[in-house]
mmCIF file of all heavy atoms in Angstrom:
data_model
loop_
_atom_site.group_PDB
_atom_site.id
_atom_site.type_symbol
_atom_site.label_atom_id
_atom_site.label_comp_id
_atom_site.label_asym_id
_atom_site.label_seq_id
_atom_site.Cartn_x
_atom_site.Cartn_y
_atom_site.Cartn_z
ATOM 1 N N PRO A 1 165.941 48.232 -48.988
ATOM 2 C CA PRO A 1 165.018 48.138 -47.850
ATOM 3 C C PRO A 1 163.618 47.696 -48.283
ATOM 4 O O PRO A 1 163.071 48.209 -49.269
ATOM 5 C CB PRO A 1 164.996 49.556 -47.281
ATOM 6 C CG PRO A 1 166.305 50.146 -47.710
ATOM 7 C CD PRO A 1 166.599 49.551 -49.052
ATOM 8 N N VAL A 2 163.070 46.741 -47.557
ATOM 9 C CA VAL A 2 161.708 46.262 -47.822
ATOM 10 C C VAL A 2 160.697 47.147 -47.092
ATOM 11 O O VAL A 2 159.611 47.412 -47.591
ATOM 12 C CB VAL A 2 161.571 44.790 -47.379
ATOM 13 C CG1 VAL A 2 160.133 44.310 -47.507
ATOM 14 C CG2 VAL A 2 162.502 43.900 -48.198
ATOM 15 N N LEU A 3 161.051 47.594 -45.888
ATOM 16 C CA LEU A 3 160.218 48.525 -45.120
ATOM 17 C C LEU A 3 160.888 49.891 -45.098
ATOM 18 O O LEU A 3 162.091 50.012 -45.335
ATOM 19 C CB LEU A 3 160.027 48.042 -43.676
ATOM 20 C CG LEU A 3 159.471 46.645 -43.432
ATOM 21 C CD1 LEU A 3 159.163 46.463 -41.953
ATOM 22 C CD2 LEU A 3 158.243 46.374 -44.265
ATOM 23 N N THR A 4 160.123 50.908 -44.758
ATOM 24 C CA THR A 4 160.662 52.260 -44.641
ATOM 25 C C THR A 4 160.267 52.871 -43.302
ATOM 26 O O THR A 4 159.282 52.454 -42.686
ATOM 27 C CB THR A 4 160.160 53.158 -45.800
ATOM 28 O OG1 THR A 4 160.636 54.486 -45.619
ATOM 29 C CG2 THR A 4 158.635 53.205 -45.822
ATOM 30 N N SER A 5 161.035 53.855 -42.880
ATOM 31 C CA SER A 5 160.697 54.595 -41.659
ATOM 32 C C SER A 5 160.264 56.021 -41.987
ATOM 33 O O SER A 5 160.246 56.887 -41.116
ATOM 34 C CB SER A 5 161.904 54.628 -40.708
ATOM 35 O OG SER A 5 162.997 55.280 -41.322
ATOM 36 N N GLU A 6 159.905 56.263 -43.241
ATOM 37 C CA GLU A 6 159.448 57.592 -43.650
ATOM 38 C C GLU A 6 157.982 57.756 -43.280
ATOM 39 O O GLU A 6 157.110 57.062 -43.802
ATOM 40 C CB GLU A 6 159.618 57.764 -45.168
ATOM 41 C CG GLU A 6 159.158 59.104 -45.713
ATOM 42 C CD GLU A 6 160.010 60.277 -45.265
ATOM 43 O OE1 GLU A 6 161.183 60.067 -44.914
ATOM 44 O OE2 GLU A 6 159.494 61.413 -45.266
ATOM 45 N N PRO A 7 157.657 58.678 -42.360
ATOM 46 C CA PRO A 7 156.262 58.793 -41.905
ATOM 47 C C PRO A 7 155.376 59.537 -42.900
ATOM 48 O O PRO A 7 155.843 60.362 -43.688
ATOM 49 C CB PRO A 7 156.395 59.594 -40.600
ATOM 50 C CG PRO A 7 157.607 60.443 -40.819
ATOM 51 C CD PRO A 7 158.547 59.615 -41.661
ATOM 52 N N SER A 8 154.095 59.222 -42.834
ATOM 53 C CA SER A 8 153.091 60.074 -43.468
ATOM 54 C C SER A 8 152.786 61.201 -42.476
ATOM 55 O O SER A 8 152.563 60.940 -41.291
ATOM 56 C CB SER A 8 151.803 59.296 -43.748
ATOM 57 O OG SER A 8 152.036 58.282 -44.698
ATOM 58 N N ILE A 9 152.783 62.443 -42.960
ATOM 59 C CA ILE A 9 152.588 63.589 -42.068
ATOM 60 C C ILE A 9 151.412 64.434 -42.560
ATOM 61 O O ILE A 9 151.235 64.629 -43.771
ATOM 62 C CB ILE A 9 153.874 64.436 -41.968
ATOM 63 C CG1 ILE A 9 154.992 63.607 -41.330
ATOM 64 C CG2 ILE A 9 153.628 65.712 -41.174
ATOM 65 C CD1 ILE A 9 156.268 64.354 -41.057
ATOM 66 N N TYR A 10 150.626 64.868 -41.613
ATOM 67 C CA TYR A 10 149.429 65.659 -41.904
ATOM 68 C C TYR A 10 149.378 66.814 -40.912
ATOM 69 O O TYR A 10 149.717 66.651 -39.744
ATOM 70 C CB TYR A 10 148.184 64.768 -41.741
ATOM 71 C CG TYR A 10 146.871 65.509 -41.832
ATOM 72 C CD1 TYR A 10 146.237 65.690 -43.057
ATOM 73 C CD2 TYR A 10 146.256 66.013 -40.691
ATOM 74 C CE1 TYR A 10 145.028 66.355 -43.152
ATOM 75 C CE2 TYR A 10 145.041 66.687 -40.774
ATOM 76 C CZ TYR A 10 144.439 66.859 -42.005
ATOM 77 O OH TYR A 10 143.249 67.528 -42.081
ATOM 78 N N SER A 11 148.942 67.980 -41.389
ATOM 79 C CA SER A 11 148.767 69.103 -40.467
ATOM 80 C C SER A 11 147.543 69.915 -40.870
ATOM 81 O O SER A 11 147.131 69.909 -42.033
ATOM 82 C CB SER A 11 150.012 70.001 -40.444
ATOM 83 O OG SER A 11 150.241 70.581 -41.719
ATOM 84 N N ARG A 12 146.953 70.566 -39.887
ATOM 85 C CA ARG A 12 145.822 71.457 -40.148
ATOM 86 C C ARG A 12 145.662 72.429 -38.992
ATOM 87 O O ARG A 12 145.948 72.091 -37.841
ATOM 88 C CB ARG A 12 144.528 70.674 -40.350
ATOM 89 C CG ARG A 12 143.913 70.164 -39.065
ATOM 90 C CD ARG A 12 142.885 69.080 -39.313
ATOM 91 N NE ARG A 12 141.510 69.528 -39.358
ATOM 92 C CZ ARG A 12 140.507 68.735 -39.732
ATOM 93 N NH1 ARG A 12 140.748 67.482 -40.110
ATOM 94 N NH2 ARG A 12 139.276 69.173 -39.735
ATOM 95 N N VAL A 13 145.196 73.628 -39.312
ATOM 96 C CA VAL A 13 144.784 74.562 -38.273
ATOM 97 C C VAL A 13 143.439 74.056 -37.751
ATOM 98 O O VAL A 13 142.528 73.780 -38.535
ATOM 99 C CB VAL A 13 144.655 75.990 -38.833
ATOM 100 C CG1 VAL A 13 144.100 76.924 -37.763
ATOM 101 C CG2 VAL A 13 146.007 76.482 -39.348
ATOM 102 N N LEU A 14 143.332 73.886 -36.437
ATOM 103 C CA LEU A 14 142.100 73.351 -35.865
ATOM 104 C C LEU A 14 140.934 74.300 -36.093
ATOM 105 O O LEU A 14 141.062 75.517 -35.945
ATOM 106 C CB LEU A 14 142.297 73.076 -34.372
ATOM 107 C CG LEU A 14 143.214 71.886 -34.063
ATOM 108 C CD1 LEU A 14 143.550 71.840 -32.580
ATOM 109 C CD2 LEU A 14 142.580 70.570 -34.504
ATOM 110 N N ARG A 15 139.792 73.728 -36.464
ATOM 111 C CA ARG A 15 138.611 74.497 -36.819
ATOM 112 C C ARG A 15 137.585 74.406 -35.692
ATOM 113 O O ARG A 15 137.590 73.449 -34.913
ATOM 114 C CB ARG A 15 138.013 73.934 -38.115
ATOM 115 C CG ARG A 15 139.035 73.791 -39.234
ATOM 116 C CD ARG A 15 138.612 72.756 -40.263
ATOM 117 N NE ARG A 15 139.707 72.448 -41.187
ATOM 118 C CZ ARG A 15 139.691 71.426 -42.034
ATOM 119 N NH1 ARG A 15 138.657 70.602 -42.061
ATOM 120 N NH2 ARG A 15 140.716 71.210 -42.848
ATOM 121 N N PRO A 16 136.664 75.354 -35.636
ATOM 122 C CA PRO A 16 135.640 75.309 -34.578
ATOM 123 C C PRO A 16 134.836 74.011 -34.569
ATOM 124 O O PRO A 16 134.369 73.576 -33.524
ATOM 125 C CB PRO A 16 134.753 76.521 -34.906
ATOM 126 C CG PRO A 16 135.661 77.459 -35.625
ATOM 127 C CD PRO A 16 136.595 76.605 -36.418
ATOM 128 N N ALA A 17 134.685 73.378 -35.729
ATOM 129 C CA ALA A 17 133.905 72.132 -35.802
ATOM 130 C C ALA A 17 134.680 70.928 -35.294
ATOM 131 O O ALA A 17 134.094 69.865 -35.073
ATOM 132 C CB ALA A 17 133.449 71.887 -37.238
ATOM 133 N N ASP A 18 136.004 71.051 -35.112
ATOM 134 C CA ASP A 18 136.827 69.936 -34.638
ATOM 135 C C ASP A 18 136.654 69.798 -33.129
ATOM 136 O O ASP A 18 137.058 70.677 -32.366
ATOM 137 C CB ASP A 18 138.301 70.180 -34.966
ATOM 138 C CG ASP A 18 138.557 70.287 -36.464
ATOM 139 O OD1 ASP A 18 137.734 69.755 -37.242
ATOM 140 O OD2 ASP A 18 139.567 70.895 -36.855
ATOM 141 N N LYS A 19 136.073 68.696 -32.680
ATOM 142 C CA LYS A 19 135.693 68.554 -31.276
ATOM 143 C C LYS A 19 136.633 67.667 -30.467
ATOM 144 O O LYS A 19 136.844 67.905 -29.281
ATOM 145 C CB LYS A 19 134.267 68.004 -31.171
ATOM 146 C CG LYS A 19 133.214 68.913 -31.801
ATOM 147 C CD LYS A 19 133.251 70.299 -31.165
ATOM 148 C CE LYS A 19 132.248 71.247 -31.792
ATOM 149 N NZ LYS A 19 132.365 72.606 -31.235
ATOM 150 N N PHE A 20 137.188 66.629 -31.064
ATOM 151 C CA PHE A 20 138.080 65.736 -30.312
ATOM 152 C C PHE A 20 138.876 64.862 -31.279
ATOM 153 O O PHE A 20 138.530 64.738 -32.462
ATOM 154 C CB PHE A 20 137.295 64.846 -29.335
ATOM 155 C CG PHE A 20 136.185 64.059 -29.969
ATOM 156 C CD1 PHE A 20 136.433 62.852 -30.615
ATOM 157 C CD2 PHE A 20 134.877 64.527 -29.934
ATOM 158 C CE1 PHE A 20 135.406 62.135 -31.217
ATOM 159 C CE2 PHE A 20 133.839 63.811 -30.529
ATOM 160 C CZ PHE A 20 134.115 62.611 -31.172
ATOM 161 N N LEU A 21 139.939 64.284 -30.753
ATOM 162 C CA LEU A 21 140.810 63.386 -31.510
ATOM 163 C C LEU A 21 140.888 62.044 -30.795
ATOM 164 O O LEU A 21 140.926 61.987 -29.567
ATOM 165 C CB LEU A 21 142.218 63.972 -31.621
ATOM 166 C CG LEU A 21 142.357 65.273 -32.398
ATOM 167 C CD1 LEU A 21 143.485 66.117 -31.811
ATOM 168 C CD2 LEU A 21 142.638 64.988 -33.865
ATOM 169 N N ILE A 22 140.925 60.969 -31.570
ATOM 170 C CA ILE A 22 141.155 59.633 -31.015
ATOM 171 C C ILE A 22 142.449 59.099 -31.619
ATOM 172 O O ILE A 22 142.568 58.974 -32.843
ATOM 173 C CB ILE A 22 140.004 58.664 -31.348
ATOM 174 C CG1 ILE A 22 138.658 59.226 -30.893
ATOM 175 C CG2 ILE A 22 140.267 57.297 -30.705
ATOM 176 C CD1 ILE A 22 137.460 58.399 -31.367
ATOM 177 N N PHE A 23 143.414 58.817 -30.759
ATOM 178 C CA PHE A 23 144.654 58.156 -31.169
ATOM 179 C C PHE A 23 144.597 56.735 -30.610
ATOM 180 O O PHE A 23 144.427 56.561 -29.396
ATOM 181 C CB PHE A 23 145.880 58.872 -30.596
ATOM 182 C CG PHE A 23 146.101 60.265 -31.113
ATOM 183 C CD1 PHE A 23 145.467 61.357 -30.535
ATOM 184 C CD2 PHE A 23 146.950 60.490 -32.180
ATOM 185 C CE1 PHE A 23 145.671 62.645 -31.004
ATOM 186 C CE2 PHE A 23 147.172 61.774 -32.668
ATOM 187 C CZ PHE A 23 146.529 62.853 -32.075
ATOM 188 N N ALA A 24 144.754 55.722 -31.467
ATOM 189 C CA ALA A 24 144.629 54.350 -30.964
ATOM 190 C C ALA A 24 145.438 53.385 -31.811
ATOM 191 O O ALA A 24 145.582 53.559 -33.029
ATOM 192 C CB ALA A 24 143.164 53.913 -30.928
ATOM 193 N N SER A 25 145.942 52.345 -31.155
ATOM 194 C CA SER A 25 146.613 51.267 -31.861
ATOM 195 C C SER A 25 145.580 50.427 -32.602
ATOM 196 O O SER A 25 144.370 50.534 -32.358
ATOM 197 C CB SER A 25 147.417 50.402 -30.881
ATOM 198 O OG SER A 25 146.594 49.925 -29.831
ATOM 199 N N ASP A 26 146.032 49.578 -33.522
ATOM 200 C CA ASP A 26 145.094 48.865 -34.385
ATOM 201 C C ASP A 26 144.228 47.873 -33.628
ATOM 202 O O ASP A 26 143.202 47.425 -34.147
ATOM 203 C CB ASP A 26 145.838 48.160 -35.523
ATOM 204 C CG ASP A 26 146.648 46.965 -35.043
ATOM 205 O OD1 ASP A 26 147.359 47.085 -34.023
ATOM 206 O OD2 ASP A 26 146.582 45.902 -35.685
ATOM 207 N N GLY A 27 144.607 47.557 -32.375
ATOM 208 C CA GLY A 27 143.780 46.669 -31.570
ATOM 209 C C GLY A 27 142.370 47.206 -31.373
ATOM 210 O O GLY A 27 141.415 46.426 -31.243
ATOM 211 N N LEU A 28 142.202 48.535 -31.358
ATOM 212 C CA LEU A 28 140.859 49.121 -31.258
ATOM 213 C C LEU A 28 140.140 49.028 -32.596
ATOM 214 O O LEU A 28 138.977 48.624 -32.668
ATOM 215 C CB LEU A 28 140.936 50.588 -30.824
ATOM 216 C CG LEU A 28 139.566 51.289 -30.743
ATOM 217 C CD1 LEU A 28 138.812 50.838 -29.499
ATOM 218 C CD2 LEU A 28 139.701 52.800 -30.768
ATOM 219 N N TRP A 29 140.856 49.381 -33.675
ATOM 220 C CA TRP A 29 140.205 49.502 -34.987
ATOM 221 C C TRP A 29 139.859 48.143 -35.584
ATOM 222 O O TRP A 29 139.078 48.082 -36.548
ATOM 223 C CB TRP A 29 141.099 50.313 -35.921
ATOM 224 C CG TRP A 29 141.508 51.623 -35.308
ATOM 225 C CD1 TRP A 29 142.764 51.996 -34.954
ATOM 226 C CD2 TRP A 29 140.646 52.718 -34.941
ATOM 227 N NE1 TRP A 29 142.758 53.253 -34.393
ATOM 228 C CE2 TRP A 29 141.466 53.714 -34.372
ATOM 229 C CE3 TRP A 29 139.269 52.942 -35.031
ATOM 230 C CZ2 TRP A 29 140.949 54.918 -33.910
ATOM 231 C CZ3 TRP A 29 138.758 54.145 -34.568
ATOM 232 C CH2 TRP A 29 139.594 55.116 -34.021
ATOM 233 N N GLU A 30 140.394 47.063 -35.030
ATOM 234 C CA GLU A 30 139.988 45.728 -35.453
ATOM 235 C C GLU A 30 138.526 45.457 -35.087
ATOM 236 O O GLU A 30 137.873 44.609 -35.707
ATOM 237 C CB GLU A 30 140.861 44.666 -34.776
ATOM 238 C CG GLU A 30 142.269 44.543 -35.340
ATOM 239 C CD GLU A 30 143.097 43.544 -34.550
ATOM 240 O OE1 GLU A 30 142.508 42.767 -33.776
ATOM 241 O OE2 GLU A 30 144.327 43.540 -34.709
ATOM 242 N N HIS A 31 138.032 46.166 -34.068
ATOM 243 C CA HIS A 31 136.705 45.857 -33.526
ATOM 244 C C HIS A 31 135.710 47.008 -33.627
ATOM 245 O O HIS A 31 134.543 46.837 -33.292
ATOM 246 C CB HIS A 31 136.841 45.434 -32.060
ATOM 247 C CG HIS A 31 137.748 44.264 -31.865
ATOM 248 N ND1 HIS A 31 137.449 43.009 -32.319
ATOM 249 C CD2 HIS A 31 138.976 44.177 -31.281
ATOM 250 C CE1 HIS A 31 138.442 42.176 -32.006
ATOM 251 N NE2 HIS A 31 139.370 42.867 -31.382
#
């Protein structure tokens, strides 16, 4: 296989300083 479907996974207990999350496709991050 040239590509893989194994995800990178991250977890954390949310902290008081964590205010919001942005989930976006790369079309946003290009700009």
Side-chain angles (χ1 to χ4, degrees):
V2 174
L3 305 189
T4 177
S5 61
E6 179 68 24
S8 295
I9 296 185
Y10 172 89
S11 63
R12 77 196 264 171
V13 175
L14 289 170
R15 309 157 191 168
D18 298 337
K19 299 303 178 184
F20 54 83
L21 296 148
I22 305 172
F23 295 85
S25 55
D26 71 314
L28 178 75
W29 308 114
E30 285 176 15
H31 303 293

